[in-house]
Amino acid sequence: MIKKRLQTCCKGRLKTGLLLLLPVLLIHVANAQAQMSADTVQWNSLRKLTWNDFKGEAMELPGLKGEIYCFLPATYQRDSVNAKTVFFVQAVFDKKGSWIQKTSKTPLALQYYQVYFDLFELHARKLRGQLAAVQPDADPTQAFQQIYNTQFNMLNDDLKALRKETKLGVVASAVAAWKSKTEKALTEMAAYAGVEKKP
């Protein structure tokens, strides 16, 4: 039985002038269904982020307002050479890795962070759709890696555009436009939504 997991983490630091995105790619053997801790939130249409989710210790650094930490764990399982490969993808928010300064807790900032998280779910859906189309006799390791890397690069491009167009979440009209565009895209990809547990 083959079980593999690929996980990409994106940690965005919100500064007045600079946002750092630190992607980390990890490939290792793991459980087919990624185990989520109580310190994480799996994306759910019925469960939006709140400031209570930002449990990381705020840093007192010049210009640094907050930080959101999301990741996109993906796993696959193939019980035998002749068995169908089963793929699992999740969009996850890390509570302990995300924080916000008290003076920066505005509705606009929270909306910006929600759009950021929503983009992870959008690309999780795109990834699920592409993985579902993998031929049964294809090498899952190669297909999984290529599709995942391509989708991660597209996610990274969207996050860069979000930060640039919203000026790191301070232009309300741009944040609203991204919110509308992302929600529409999520609806269009509803067929590839993950299994949602009642919050």
Side-chain angles (χ1 to χ4, degrees):
M1 178 164 48
I2 302 171
K3 296 180 180 179
K4 283 208 172 181
R5 179 180 177 185
L6 182 64
Q7 177 172 290
T8 295
C9 308
C10 287
K11 195 170 188 178
R13 291 179 178 172
L14 186 59
K15 296 186 176 183
T16 52
L18 177 65
L19 181 70
L20 301 176
L21 183 65
L22 306 174
V24 179
L25 293 176
L26 303 171
I27 305 175
H28 56 86
V29 176
N31 293 329
Q33 188 75 36
Q35 299 298 313
M36 295 295 109
S37 78
D39 294 318
T40 60
V41 176
Q42 184 175 342
W43 193 94
N44 189 314
S45 62
L46 302 175
R47 202 276 193 208
K48 301 300 183 183
L49 293 177
T50 71
W51 288 129
N52 290 332
D53 294 321
F54 289 70
K55 295 186 178 295
E57 184 177 351
M59 299 181 190
E60 295 297 332
L61 297 174
L64 190 60
K65 298 178 180 180
E67 186 172 56
I68 183 171
Y69 184 40
C70 299
F71 55 106
L72 195 66
T75 66
Y76 72 82
Q77 179 175 339
R78 191 177 189 184
D79 292 335
S80 68
V81 176
N82 297 320
K84 181 179 179 180
T85 304
V86 179
F87 298 96
F88 306 92
V89 184
Q90 295 171 300
V92 181
F93 169 91
D94 186 276
K95 294 181 180 181
K96 286 189 173 180
S98 303
W99 59 271
I100 188 79
Q101 291 180 350
K102 289 182 179 179
T103 56
S104 298
K105 292 182 179 180
T106 66
L108 179 60
L110 187 59
Q111 186 177 76
Y112 171 74
Y113 285 130
Q114 182 64 56
V115 173
Y116 194 100
F117 190 23
D118 289 349
L119 284 172
F120 273 77
E121 172 60 17
L122 175 60
H123 286 277
R125 293 184 185 191
K126 290 182 177 182
L127 188 54
R128 291 181 196 118
Q130 291 176 335
L131 291 172
V134 171
Q135 295 298 317
D137 59 346
D139 176 4
T141 302
Q142 184 176 3
F144 185 66
Q145 184 72 60
Q146 290 178 346
I147 293 171
Y148 189 96
N149 288 348
T150 298
Q151 201 55 235
F152 168 71
N153 289 335
M154 293 173 68
L155 167 61
N156 200 24
D157 289 343
D158 274 353
L159 294 174
K160 286 179 182 177
L162 169 69
R163 295 193 302 270
K164 181 178 179 180
E165 292 174 21
T166 66
K167 297 192 184 300
L168 305 178
V170 299
V171 179
S173 59
V175 173
W178 268 92
K179 179 178 182 290
S180 177
K181 178 172 68 173
T182 305
E183 287 177 348
K184 180 180 178 183
L186 284 168
T187 300
E188 291 170 352
M189 296 293 296
Y192 297 103
V195 177
E196 293 186 357
K197 295 180 181 179
K198 201 169 183 179

